[in-house]
Tab-separated table of all heavy atoms in Angstrom:
chain	number	residue	atom	x	y	z
S	15	VAL	N	-0.745	0.156	15.321
S	15	VAL	CA	0.492	-0.598	15.547
S	15	VAL	C	0.882	-0.362	17.003
S	15	VAL	O	1.091	0.775	17.418
S	15	VAL	CB	1.594	-0.109	14.580
S	15	VAL	CG1	2.904	-0.832	14.849
S	15	VAL	CG2	1.147	-0.309	13.133
S	44	ARG	N	8.263	-6.368	19.765
S	44	ARG	CA	9.376	-5.498	20.151
S	44	ARG	C	9.525	-5.437	21.650
S	44	ARG	O	10.389	-4.729	22.158
S	44	ARG	CB	9.128	-4.061	19.661
S	44	ARG	CG	9.023	-3.925	18.183
S	44	ARG	CD	8.756	-2.487	17.787
S	44	ARG	NE	8.169	-2.439	16.464
S	44	ARG	CZ	7.728	-1.353	15.872
S	44	ARG	NH1	7.791	-0.196	16.475
S	44	ARG	NH2	7.211	-1.414	14.666
S	128	LYS	N	2.837	-4.817	2.991
S	128	LYS	CA	3.011	-3.577	3.749
S	128	LYS	C	4.042	-2.719	3.020
S	128	LYS	O	5.110	-3.210	2.665
S	128	LYS	CB	3.503	-3.913	5.161
S	128	LYS	CG	4.031	-2.733	5.958
S	128	LYS	CD	4.267	-3.119	7.405
S	128	LYS	CE	5.130	-2.099	8.116
S	128	LYS	NZ	5.077	-2.223	9.590
S	130	PHE	N	6.595	-0.017	3.549
S	130	PHE	CA	7.256	0.518	4.746
S	130	PHE	C	8.695	0.923	4.466
S	130	PHE	O	9.403	0.162	3.801
S	130	PHE	CB	7.226	-0.537	5.858
S	130	PHE	CG	7.923	-0.097	7.115
S	130	PHE	CD1	7.288	0.717	8.025
S	130	PHE	CD2	9.240	-0.480	7.364
S	130	PHE	CE1	7.931	1.156	9.180
S	130	PHE	CE2	9.894	-0.049	8.515
S	130	PHE	CZ	9.228	0.766	9.421
S	156	SER	N	2.527	1.972	5.808
S	156	SER	CA	2.736	2.171	7.235
S	156	SER	C	4.118	2.777	7.443
S	156	SER	O	5.043	2.507	6.680
S	156	SER	CB	2.642	0.808	7.922
S	156	SER	OG	2.662	0.947	9.297
S	157	GLY	N	4.229	3.570	8.481
S	157	GLY	CA	5.528	4.191	8.780
S	157	GLY	C	5.478	5.680	8.508
S	157	GLY	O	5.519	6.105	7.353
S	158	GLY	N	5.332	6.443	9.589
S	158	GLY	CA	5.334	7.900	9.461
S	158	GLY	C	4.024	8.499	8.990
S	158	GLY	O	3.966	9.680	8.639
S	178	GLY	N	-0.563	2.602	11.689
S	178	GLY	CA	-0.007	3.762	12.372
S	178	GLY	C	-0.018	3.585	13.877
S	178	GLY	O	-0.876	2.893	14.421
S	179	SER	N	0.973	4.217	14.515
S	179	SER	CA	1.045	4.098	15.971
S	179	SER	C	0.318	5.243	16.668
S	179	SER	O	0.198	5.234	17.886
S	179	SER	CB	2.513	4.051	16.414
S	179	SER	OG	3.168	5.223	15.992
R	1	3PG	C1	5.849	0.496	12.585
R	1	3PG	O1	6.190	-0.639	12.217
R	1	3PG	O2	6.439	1.115	13.497
R	1	3PG	C2	4.665	1.053	11.932
R	1	3PG	O3	4.820	1.133	10.602
R	1	3PG	C3	4.151	2.307	12.559
R	1	3PG	O4	4.862	3.391	12.162
R	1	3PG	P1	4.593	4.800	12.856
R	1	3PG	O5	5.014	4.672	14.284
R	1	3PG	O6	5.454	5.750	12.089
R	1	3PG	O7	3.124	5.093	12.721
Side-chain angles (χ1 to χ4, degrees):
V15 177
R44 298 179 201 175
K128 167 170 164 164
F130 178 81
S156 188
S179 59

